[in-house]
Every structure is written in structure tokens, then in C-alpha cells.
Amino acid sequence: MDDVAQLPRATAMWRSHPWLRKGETLVMKQKTGPAGNVRVIATNRKARHEYHIDDTWEAGIVLRGTEVKSLRCGGGSVVDSYAEPEGGEIWLNNFHINPYEQGNRYNVDEKRRRKLLLNKKQIRKIVGLCTQKGYTLIPLRLYFLGQHVKVELALARGKKAYDKREAIRERDTRRELDRDYKLR
């Protein structure tokens, strides 16, 4: 209760409940916004270099056993993973979670398929967009939002080699301009 009592009045709700004695107040923490308590576990930095990102969604992920504990220790990788719709659901493939060291027999397969949690409306939209030629679903980052593990899923189109070179050229010129601006 000490850590809650020290919160500023803006982030705490002060309420008086019927079961409390006269003069007592109950302090409850308010949920902070998505930017308030996000802790990034893994990012797919190659994705923005190799793909044009058209749309993104936030999805929950179904985890078993000691996978959450392993992710809290920072043991996850979204590189080379992809998602695909199957049977009215979206599954994340090739997503690696390190086995938890103290997990012994409760550890599960590191690269097993994991179900993504989305609304039916979102799933129908994603399935419709994924069936178009050249589009794929890739995870951009994996993060904790409060106590829940979330995946930022992107609808992406592969870049051609000349697009990649052009992006590198633009990035280099932007860096040079920033350096020149700082020197002034």
C-alpha cells in the first residue's frame, strides 16, 4: 500500500466504498495508456529494410508453460518468423522462445506454432488482404503491455533490390544533412 499511496493524485483514483469505515479511502491504480508501461522484448529490424509495411495490428499471443517467464528474461526472437491464416485463425510460425532455465519438463518446443489473438473482424480483414499476391504477415516487435505479451503484426510487401538501395541512399543523405546541421 505504501507504493500506491505515493502516487500523484492524477494517476490514482480515490474512492470511498460502503465496506470501509468512516473516513477511510481506497486507493486504486488507474490503467495507464499503451505508451505508459510497454516493455519491448524483441524487434524485427530487418523487416523494415526488406518489406514495405502497409498496415499494422496489435495481437495477443497464446503461450504455454514457462514461455512467459522466458520472455521476461528476454529470451525471444522474431527474426525469420511469419504469420499465416488457417481455419479462421492466425498462427505465428518460426517464432523462437528460449527454453526457461528452471523450467525442466514444463518447457515446450522452442519454435512451435503459436496462435494469435485478434477479433473476428480483424481476422477477416487480414485474411482478405493476405490472399492478394505479394503480401505476407510478419511480426515487427514483441512486447509486454502491462502483464500481457503482445505482437505487432504487419501486412507487408517485399521490396525489390533497387528499392532497398534507394532507401539506403535516402538514409545516408539524411544522416549527412543532420551532421551538417549539427556542425552549424
Side-chain angles (χ1 to χ4, degrees):
M1 196 71 174
D2 292 331
D3 61 334
V4 177
Q6 294 174 359
L7 288 173
R9 200 168 181 86
T11 60
M13 293 188 318
W14 301 86
R15 288 193 182 159
S16 180
H17 290 282
W19 63 82
L20 295 174
R21 292 186 202 118
K22 192 172 185 176
E24 289 181 338
T25 45
L26 176 68
V27 180
M28 298 172 62
K29 288 185 181 179
Q30 283 184 342
K31 290 184 178 178
T32 56
N37 52 356
V38 173
R39 195 180 108 215
V40 177
I41 302 166
T43 56
N44 191 352
R45 294 179 59 196
K46 270 176 49 176
R48 296 204 186 269
H49 177 70
E50 294 181 353
Y51 298 98
H52 290 288
I53 307 299
D54 288 345
D55 205 355
T56 60
W57 295 273
E58 178 183 73
I61 184 168
V62 176
L63 298 173
R64 283 196 278 157
T66 57
E67 290 178 325
V68 175
K69 289 184 179 185
S70 179
L71 289 174
R72 286 198 193 281
C73 296
S77 172
V78 291
V79 177
D80 295 333
S81 60
Y82 62 97
E84 62 183 356
E86 183 180 306
E89 298 172 339
I90 298 193
W91 294 87
L92 187 62
N93 297 318
N94 213 19
F95 169 56
H96 180 82
I97 296 179
N98 295 340
Y100 186 58
E101 291 177 7
Q102 289 83 25
N104 59 33
R105 68 177 183 211
Y106 297 107
N107 285 333
V108 292
D109 185 29
E110 298 148 4
K111 287 206 173 194
R112 72 177 182 87
R113 294 178 67 198
R114 292 169 178 89
K115 183 178 173 182
L116 295 178
L117 304 172
L118 292 156
N119 296 330
K120 282 197 183 251
K121 192 175 184 180
Q122 289 175 325
I123 292 174
R124 276 189 243 122
K125 182 178 180 182
I126 291 171
V127 168
L129 292 171
C130 278
T131 54
Q132 295 176 9
K133 187 177 178 186
Y135 282 99
T136 186
L137 285 172
I138 54 168
L140 294 179
R141 66 184 178 136
L142 181 74
Y143 56 95
F144 279 104
L145 182 62
Q147 64 183 5
H148 302 287
V149 179
K150 301 286 184 178
V151 177
E152 186 178 1
L153 197 63
L155 180 70
R157 233 174 342 121
K159 283 186 181 179
K160 305 284 184 201
Y162 59 86
D163 289 335
K164 293 177 189 177
R165 286 192 298 267
E166 184 178 319
I168 291 170
R169 195 175 309 117
E170 287 175 9
R171 186 179 64 218
D172 290 342
T173 55
R174 198 175 321 119
R175 281 183 187 162
E176 288 176 15
L177 289 174
D178 288 343
R179 270 192 225 123
D180 292 343
Y181 185 72
K182 284 180 183 179
L183 292 176
R184 287 183 185 176

